[in-house]
Amino acid sequence: MPVVSGPNGAPDGKTRGRHGRGKYDHMANRESAFIEITPEVLLKAYACGIFPMAESADDPALYWIEPEMRGIIPLDRFYLPGRLARTVRSDRFTVMVNRDFDGVLDGCAEPQPGRQRTWINARIRMLYRKLYERRHCHSIEVYDGDALVGGLYGVSLGRAFFGESMFHRARDASKVALVHLIARLRAGGFKLLDTQFVTDHLKGFGAVEVPRRQYHKLLEAALGSDGDFGALPTSRPVTGKEALAQLNISGA
């Protein structure tokens, strides 16, 4: 997650668009926003602490963004409320990885309470689909029976994970996805979870803002070696017990 941030403190999506521009710097003008971006260029941008942003799904322009204050969730200080831990342990939901990337993108692009417009345009879909095919982008899917009810996706590079967006169609589904993401990152030796921005919701899980210079130091350290996103199973559902074990939480 988001990893992930959401509109007006909500758990899903990302605070993007015209509002709040004072919190980050645009690094492209309108004309350069239409220059072709390849997956290789996108990965280099992430390695430099920069990420792309669209104004809306109907606008094909992409802008490079580098926030002055960067949101992260310290993986060793993730806070999990007791009620949510019990939900995770109950296995009310089935949690998979990289099973329906396009379905997660569709979910993240849906209007949500407080977010009627989506920032996921056709170029975003194409770019991140290509990263997914190169195994640098991953999705976590949360199912209720056969129905996809929540999930998230993001970019993996070295020991850093950059949360892009998350969504829910059932209560707690996106939160469960976030818990499973944290567990997977910890199991795989990741050092940095970049949420790009921080909302009041994410603060409840331990998210903090760090200045740009400090963020770059954390990023540099995380890019020195490779994490293993597949440290937990990817071909079968991961149980709540398995996820909580990575967080040293019983969930009782």
Side-chain angles (χ1 to χ4, degrees):
M1 38 218 122
V3 170
V4 187
S5 54
N8 303 319
D12 303 310
K14 183 174 293 177
T15 304
R16 292 191 168 184
R18 298 182 181 276
H19 57 287
R21 276 189 173 174
K23 295 182 179 179
Y24 50 77
D25 295 339
H26 282 273
M27 301 185 68
N29 58 34
R30 183 69 183 177
E31 293 181 359
S32 64
F34 292 95
I35 294 175
E36 181 184 2
I37 301 173
T38 65
E40 291 75 21
V41 168
L42 184 54
L43 288 176
K44 289 180 180 178
Y46 274 103
C48 293
I50 307 168
F51 58 87
M53 167 179 141
E55 291 282 2
S56 72
D58 300 326
D59 188 346
L62 294 180
Y63 302 92
W64 292 116
I65 304 298
E66 185 178 20
E68 296 176 6
M69 298 295 293
R70 195 64 163 251
I72 66 169
I73 295 180
L75 293 172
D76 59 349
R77 297 200 299 271
F78 178 68
Y79 175 73
L80 180 59
R83 184 191 66 80
L84 182 57
R86 290 189 289 274
T87 299
V88 171
R89 187 173 181 83
S90 73
D91 286 327
R92 168 189 166 193
F93 299 112
T94 301
V95 181
M96 298 291 296
V97 172
N98 296 334
R99 180 178 181 179
D100 188 1
F101 182 79
D102 292 322
V104 170
L105 270 180
D106 289 341
C108 291
E110 291 174 351
Q112 297 281 330
R115 186 192 76 205
Q116 297 306 311
R117 294 173 58 191
T118 177
W119 55 271
I120 299 177
N121 64 14
R123 292 179 71 192
I124 289 287
R125 287 177 178 270
M126 178 189 68
L127 274 171
Y128 288 89
R129 191 64 170 77
K130 288 181 178 180
L131 286 189
Y132 173 75
E133 292 168 356
R134 289 162 170 76
R135 298 184 180 180
H136 276 292
C137 200
H138 301 282
S139 60
I140 292 183
E141 296 86 11
V142 179
Y143 292 91
D144 186 353
D146 294 328
L148 180 64
V149 295
L152 60 83
Y153 77 97
V155 174
S156 173
L157 187 62
R159 293 182 184 268
F161 189 88
F162 308 86
E164 278 298 311
S165 192
M166 60 199 301
F167 79 99
H168 75 280
R169 297 170 182 152
R171 182 185 180 187
D172 290 338
S174 61
K175 298 175 185 177
V176 169
L178 178 59
V179 172
H180 275 258
L181 173 65
I182 299 288
R184 185 169 291 277
L185 297 182
R186 287 181 56 150
F190 282 75
K191 301 299 183 183
L192 176 65
L193 172 54
D194 177 359
T195 69
Q196 299 181 352
F197 304 102
V198 171
T199 64
D200 290 339
H201 173 81
L202 287 178
K203 287 180 182 178
F205 292 101
V208 297
E209 286 186 325
V210 296
R212 184 182 295 167
R213 179 174 295 183
Q214 181 181 350
Y215 171 78
H216 277 284
K217 291 180 179 179
L218 294 171
L219 178 59
E220 182 180 1
L223 296 179
S225 56
D226 291 330
D228 181 8
F229 198 79
L232 292 180
T234 58
S235 60
R236 64 164 177 82
V238 174
T239 67
K241 183 178 180 180
E242 288 175 306
L244 293 175
Q246 297 299 323
L247 305 177
N248 299 317
I249 296 173
S250 67

